[in-house]
């Protein structure tokens, strides 16, 4: 029995995340991460705190939900909408956090995939500042290049496609 | 690509770079043969999620943005043909665009082709929330397609197209991934015909040359 459980824990990412969790995929900042999520009782995506950080780099702290130097406080009186304690496990509602930050969210129920887009203030920063939004993309050999690596030169940023 | 390469050869000594980004969910496999054939000297990047399309609110290819030495946008996105091979289709002469580009590389902020702050404010608007959601649907579709769930990806490509009907990138990319007639009930040429002459790219708004008055 112990051996069977151990095998299940090793093989199934959901079991590794938390008991009662199902396998989901979160696409955040364009990167896909397999996570365990709470069962079907909610339409929202509830993650363990470890999976929250693995998928989004956000961490739950006393001052709010934080990443790098930035913290988003949980609105007063609404803690239960964001954080739930079930037994040993603390769950975080990434869907509610997405609504708080006004992120666009696409969802495929059949495959359990959730895709979170950027906050409007991030997406639209260049409209006010006129500074080109930065990005990092690979060349054909897989080497990453940042647009801002070309600062100091005039750049023609050109898009094309094979289709 | 060969025309951009010639232009790059001409202008790179003036502190000028071309960063060319393939909007291709098929990645290096789809875009690679084109690059290997043309062997451009400038930087070519692969964008499987059409991130640059989203960042700059682009609607088709070829589209270009001019960015100055400080990282500031001199001209926002607009259609950018380097030659007249497809002129019969879109009716745009490439020459005025290339002339403007040369002028900007030579004169920087003094070039009349740099958008004034007034024009910028008139033209640049925050992304519509539907378009933001379309971009998320598109990335989800790309993920499902790549994971082998091709039939299920179609619903999300369609949702991206519904939310952002102006984006020809989201249409043309999806149509190219399989049988467009079977999956989407249409194809590129049928859709272009439906437009009846309305442009299917971000229009070019180059300053008109001043005509001599008699």
């Amino acid at each position: 029995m112990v051996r069977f459980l151990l095998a299940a824990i090793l093989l199934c990412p959901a079991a590794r995340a938390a008991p009662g969790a199902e396998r989901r995929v979160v696409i955040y900042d364009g990167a896909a991460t397999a996570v365990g999520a709470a069962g079907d009782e909610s339409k929202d995506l509830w993650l363990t705190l470890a999976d929250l950080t693995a998928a989004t780099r956000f961490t739950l702290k006393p001052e709010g939900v934080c990443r790098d130097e930035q913290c988003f406080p949980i609105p007063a009186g609404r803690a239960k909408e964001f954080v739930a304690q079930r037994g040993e496990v603390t769950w975080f509602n990434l869907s509610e956090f997405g609504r708080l930050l006004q992120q666009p969210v696409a969802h495929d129920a059949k495959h359990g995939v959730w895709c979170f887009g950027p906050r409007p203030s991030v997406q639209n920063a260049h409209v006010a500042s006129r500074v080109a939004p930065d990005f990092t993309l690979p060349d054909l050999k897989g080497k990453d290049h940042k647009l801002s690596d070309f600062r100091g030169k005039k750049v023609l940023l050109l898009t094309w496609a094979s289709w | 690509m060969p025309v951009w390469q010639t232009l790059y050869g001409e202008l790179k000594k003036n502190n000028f770079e071309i960063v060319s980004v393939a909007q291709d969910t098929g990645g290096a496999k789809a875009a690679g043969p084109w690059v290997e054939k043309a062997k451009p000297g400038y930087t070519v990047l692969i964008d499987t999620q059409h991130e640059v399309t989203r960042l700059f609110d682009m609607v088709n290819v070829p589209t270009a943005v001019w960015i100055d030495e400080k990282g500031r946008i001199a001209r926002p996105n607009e259609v950018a043909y380097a030659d007249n091979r497809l002129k019969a289709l879109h009716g745009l002469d490439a020459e005025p665009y290339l002339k403007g580009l040369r002028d900007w590389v030579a004169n920087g902020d003094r070039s009349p082709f740099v958008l004034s702050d007034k024009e910028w404010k008139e033209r640049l608007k925050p992304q519509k929330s539907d378009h933001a959601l379309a971009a998320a649907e598109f990335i989800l579709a790309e993920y499902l397609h790549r994971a082998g769930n091709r039939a299920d990806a179609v619903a999300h490509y369609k949702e991206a197209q519904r939310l952002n009907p102006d984006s020809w990138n989201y249409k043309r990319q999806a149509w190219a991934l399989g049988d467009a007639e079977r999956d989407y009930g249409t194809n590129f040429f049928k859709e272009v015909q439906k437009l009846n002459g309305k442009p299917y790219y971000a229009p070019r708004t180059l300053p008109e040359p001043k005509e001599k008055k008699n």
Side-chain angles (χ1 to χ4, degrees), chain B residues 33-61:
Chain B
W34 294 69
V35 182
E36 275 147 26
K37 195 173 161 210
K39 293 193 171 45
Y42 51 81
T43 305
V44 179
L45 306 178
I46 307 294
D47 184 0
T48 57
Q49 296 182 328
H50 292 211
E51 184 182 355
V52 173
T53 288
R54 172 188 54 85
L55 286 170
F56 292 88
D57 250 342
M58 292 175 175
V59 296
N60 212 336
V61 294

Side-chain angles (χ1 to χ4, degrees), chain A:
Chain A
M1 186 65 191
V2 170
R3 192 176 294 169
F4 170 76
L5 273 178
L6 191 65
I9 287 166
L10 288 173
L11 289 171
C12 174
R16 193 179 62 225
E22 296 181 9
R23 189 180 176 276
R24 297 278 192 274
V25 171
V26 175
I27 306 172
Y28 211 93
D29 299 320
T33 309
V35 295
D40 278 334
E41 71 273 21
S42 167
K43 282 184 180 170
D44 285 354
L45 178 64
W46 289 84
L47 302 179
T48 65
L49 298 183
D51 279 344
L52 169 70
T53 305
T56 71
R57 293 200 302 108
F58 276 104
T59 314
L60 186 63
K61 291 185 176 174
E63 57 268 40
V65 191
C66 306
R67 180 164 84 166
D68 302 328
E69 301 301 306
Q70 197 167 32
C71 282
F72 298 93
I74 290 175
R78 291 182 54 196
K80 280 184 182 168
E81 296 167 45
F82 292 86
V83 183
Q85 188 72 34
R86 286 176 215 157
E88 300 275 295
V89 184
T90 306
W91 297 90
F92 182 81
N93 187 342
L94 193 62
S95 299
E96 193 60 39
F97 188 56
R99 287 190 284 271
L100 180 72
L101 303 188
Q102 298 180 293
Q103 286 175 280
V105 182
H107 175 216
D108 186 276
K110 182 177 166 189
H111 296 286
V113 185
W114 304 70
C115 178
F116 291 75
R119 307 194 303 281
S121 57
V122 173
Q123 169 68 34
N124 296 314
H126 72 282
V127 176
S129 71
R130 222 175 147 159
V131 174
D134 206 7
F135 58 81
T136 303
L137 288 169
D139 62 22
L140 272 182
K141 290 176 185 157
K143 188 191 167 203
D144 278 341
H145 299 259
K146 275 169 91 166
L147 177 63
S148 55
D149 292 344
F150 297 94
R151 285 276 170 97
K153 291 186 172 191
K154 289 194 181 79
V155 173
L156 178 74
L157 175 65
L158 181 66
T159 57
W160 63 285
S162 65
W163 30 264

